[in-house]
Amino acid sequence: MAHLKELLSKCSETNSNQHTPSEEELFTKFYAEWRTTSGPVDSSYNTIPRFYFKLPSEDEVLPQKLREEARAMFLQRRSRQLLDNNELKALWVLLDKNHSPPHAADKQLINYEDFLKVAAEAGPKCKSYLTPSVFAKLQSKESHGRISIMALFNYVMRKVWLHQTRIGLSLYDVTGQGYLRESDLENYILELIPTLPQLDGLEKSFHSFYVCTAVRKFLFFLDPLHTGRVRIQDILACSFLDDLLELRDEDLPKDLQEANWFSAPSALRVYGQYLNLDRDHNGMLNKEELAGYGTGTLTSVFLERVFQECLTYDGEMDYKTYLDFVLALENRHEPQSLHYLFRILDINNQGYLDTFCLNFFFRAIQEQMSVHGQEPVNFEDVKDEIFDMVKPQDPTKITLQDLLNCGQGDTMVSILIDLNGFWTYENREAMAADTTDATDEAAEV
């Protein structure tokens, strides 16, 4: 028994003297063993490859020229990869020849087997446009699983146009970073003017004002953070280029011209309004002059806030700032316009509108109603209607996101800043009834 106790005590002493390795020590040991058994390491692993190349500065002439030439060659190569008019005609002939039975009376259709046949015969340039995923995208629940030949051809033409336009815009991208600065956009539109027949009547002296008017729409809607540049991808995704290139149509109807911000009548209208407001003819607008904008029913409180929040020069507004103002008021339903107007309504810069903010602006509406001999409306009633209309997440605060989500942000803003907008909302039921009666009378006639 004594011998057993002696052996146990020796074992415990041995265990206490042994060192238990830590996780870090074990990792180092096993990693070293792995390095010795994994074979020789490539010498390139000793240095980190360069992944950032600084843009050459303006005074580095040779690097700038090299970069410009390289980009020009790249864009030329990409341009040669696009389908030209002859190749598009050949593709249409090929599609027309391979449409699939049973034949429909109103349109030609093609099934997947014939689609693959066309893709094989069309040549390497068409390969990227005639893929299985494209066929799947154009499916429209046709009973035989076919797609419209016209829809396919229109898709190809649209893609070719987008690539051509992307290349054309990239020629003005001086930095090569995928965006156009304000000066780049101005150069693009200035050189585009001679190609648009609808602008032939503009005098050359007005071209600079036209370019400013056109560029401002791109910047207002596509550069909400005011970085002074717009991504080419965003330009292609929006409809502004379509509106601009619509001016190539020599027979564009007058109503479409007036609705198009980029048309000559629209640009002349906006600039003419600016000149008419500028009563002292100094090329700038002060608050009293801007009060005559539109129907002259914008409240003085709102105009005061405009001059507090927007860029001015010695308390006066230039043409560019005026264009932002016009774009915001003429497109009040757009998110960018609501963002612009919300910033003006948020008098305390707290990120939301509360009862105090609403009352601050609506008091000016009540004052205008009194001046015009109308009975002022009770604010509490209007406040309840606004909160019911917007349905904010917090029942005591209205955020910008609440305005965007409710779909009636433009109506709410009009109630607070424009007597005419408030009157239109207040009499909406009577106006709707008048419209209905007029429609009925026209139908009877």
Side-chain angles (χ1 to χ4, degrees):
M1 189 69 180
H3 179 64
L4 181 59
K5 287 181 179 180
E6 186 180 349
L7 287 174
L8 288 172
S9 62
K10 285 182 179 180
C11 288
S12 62
E13 288 175 6
T14 303
N15 290 335
S16 63
N17 292 332
Q18 287 179 348
H19 170 67
T20 304
S22 66
E23 289 184 8
E24 187 175 348
E25 291 171 335
L26 288 172
F27 172 79
T28 305
K29 174 187 173 185
F30 293 139
Y31 179 70
E33 292 176 358
W34 173 79
R35 288 291 301 270
T36 56
T37 57
S38 61
V41 177
D42 192 282
S43 59
S44 65
Y45 286 11
N46 296 325
T47 57
I48 299 175
R50 185 176 179 182
F51 57 88
Y52 172 72
F53 296 86
K54 186 179 179 181
L55 291 175
S57 59
E58 292 182 1
D59 58 343
E60 295 178 293
V61 180
L62 284 177
Q64 282 277 17
K65 286 290 183 184
L66 176 62
R67 182 177 174 81
E68 288 174 13
E69 287 297 320
R71 287 188 63 251
M73 291 179 65
F74 168 74
L75 294 173
Q76 287 175 5
R77 188 168 68 250
R78 291 302 300 267
S79 184
R80 287 194 296 268
Q81 294 171 358
L82 299 178
L83 299 175
D84 58 29
N85 286 337
N86 291 331
E87 288 166 328
L88 284 169
K89 289 177 182 177
L91 176 61
W92 173 254
V93 170
L94 200 57
L95 288 169
D96 184 53
K97 188 170 69 176
N98 288 277
H99 64 271
S100 311
H103 302 300
D106 54 341
K107 57 184 176 180
Q108 293 177 312
L109 303 168
I110 188 170
N111 61 29
Y112 187 60
E113 289 75 14
D114 291 326
F115 174 82
L116 292 177
K117 189 191 300 182
V118 169
E121 296 179 16
K125 275 192 177 182
C126 294
K127 189 175 181 181
S128 62
Y129 304 107
L130 303 175
T131 62
S133 60
V134 170
F135 187 90
K137 286 177 184 175
L138 297 175
Q139 286 279 356
S140 58
K141 298 181 180 179
E142 201 267 336
S143 57
H144 297 279
R146 300 174 296 175
I147 63 172
S148 166
I149 285 177
M150 183 57 72
L152 174 60
F153 188 68
N154 286 339
Y155 168 83
V156 173
M157 286 203 302
R158 179 70 178 174
K159 290 287 283 187
V160 170
W161 179 84
L162 282 172
H163 288 144
Q164 286 174 339
T165 308
R166 175 67 188 258
I167 292 170
L169 289 170
S170 297
L171 293 172
Y172 296 86
D173 177 11
V174 177
T175 63
Q177 298 293 293
Y179 57 78
L180 298 182
R181 300 167 302 176
E182 184 172 0
S183 58
D184 302 329
L185 275 168
E186 288 173 350
N187 291 332
Y188 171 72
I189 291 178
L190 187 62
E191 294 182 18
L192 195 64
I193 289 176
T195 70
L196 305 175
Q198 285 293 338
L199 302 181
D200 287 345
L202 288 180
E203 296 182 7
K204 283 199 172 182
S205 60
F206 184 69
H207 281 188
S208 60
F209 294 102
Y210 175 82
V211 168
C212 179
T213 305
V215 168
R216 210 66 213 158
K217 183 164 186 176
F218 284 93
L219 291 172
F220 182 81
F221 287 103
L222 302 181
D223 181 29
L225 299 180
H226 306 289
T227 60
R229 63 191 193 185
V230 177
R231 292 195 312 164
I232 292 176
Q233 185 177 347
D234 293 336
I235 295 175
L236 294 171
C238 73
S239 64
F240 298 163
L241 274 185
D242 291 331
D243 296 340
L244 193 56
L245 298 179
E246 189 178 57
L247 304 179
R248 288 177 174 170
D249 183 3
E250 296 182 12
D251 302 319
L252 190 66
K254 189 175 180 180
D255 57 333
L256 292 181
Q257 288 186 48
E258 292 174 352
N260 188 335
W261 174 266
F262 301 103
S263 70
S266 175
L268 291 167
R269 170 184 64 83
V270 174
Y271 187 64
Q273 288 173 348
Y274 183 78
L275 293 180
N276 290 334
L277 291 172
D278 182 21
R279 293 195 296 270
D280 57 9
H281 307 293
N282 67 342
M284 309 278 276
L285 299 181
N286 57 37
K287 190 177 68 172
E288 289 71 26
E289 290 171 333
L290 188 61
Y293 173 80
T295 56
T297 53
L298 293 172
T299 65
S300 59
V301 172
F302 170 68
L303 294 173
E304 182 71 38
R305 283 289 298 153
V306 169
F307 277 81
Q308 288 175 3
E309 288 293 326
C310 299
L311 178 64
T312 56
Y313 303 88
D314 294 328
E316 294 198 312
M317 177 185 290
D318 70 349
Y319 186 52
K320 287 184 178 180
T321 307
Y322 173 75
L323 288 172
D324 287 344
F325 177 79
V326 172
L327 285 165
L329 291 182
E330 289 190 356
N331 303 275
R332 297 181 200 185
H333 59 286
E334 295 290 344
Q336 295 88 343
S337 300
L338 288 175
H339 186 277
Y340 175 98
L341 294 165
F342 184 87
R343 182 163 52 93
I344 293 169
L345 294 176
D346 184 12
I347 55 177
N348 294 320
N349 295 319
Q350 53 197 2
Y352 60 84
L353 308 180
D354 53 17
T355 301
F356 177 81
C357 290
L358 301 184
N359 189 31
F360 179 81
F361 284 96
F362 192 72
R363 273 186 314 199
I365 295 289
Q366 291 173 319
E367 290 170 6
Q368 281 195 353
M369 294 179 75
S370 298
V371 169
H372 288 83
Q374 299 176 3
E375 182 71 24
V377 177
N378 183 20
F379 168 70
E380 289 298 323
D381 296 336
V382 173
K383 181 201 74 173
D384 292 341
E385 286 194 43
I386 287 176
F387 275 92
D388 288 342
M389 183 192 308
V390 177
K391 297 181 175 61
Q393 287 190 340
D394 186 328
T396 63
K397 303 173 183 177
I398 296 175
T399 65
L400 174 60
Q401 195 58 50
D402 292 327
L403 276 187
L404 297 173
N405 292 341
C406 74
Q408 299 190 68
D410 56 326
T411 303
M412 193 213 86
V413 169
S414 298
I415 290 172
L416 296 175
I417 69 172
D418 185 1
L419 177 61
N420 193 40
F422 172 74
W423 184 89
T424 301
Y425 173 76
E426 190 71 3
N427 296 275
R428 61 194 181 281
E429 294 177 0
M431 293 174 68
D434 291 342
T435 304
T436 303
D437 292 342
T439 304
D440 293 341
E441 289 176 7
E444 289 174 5
V445 172

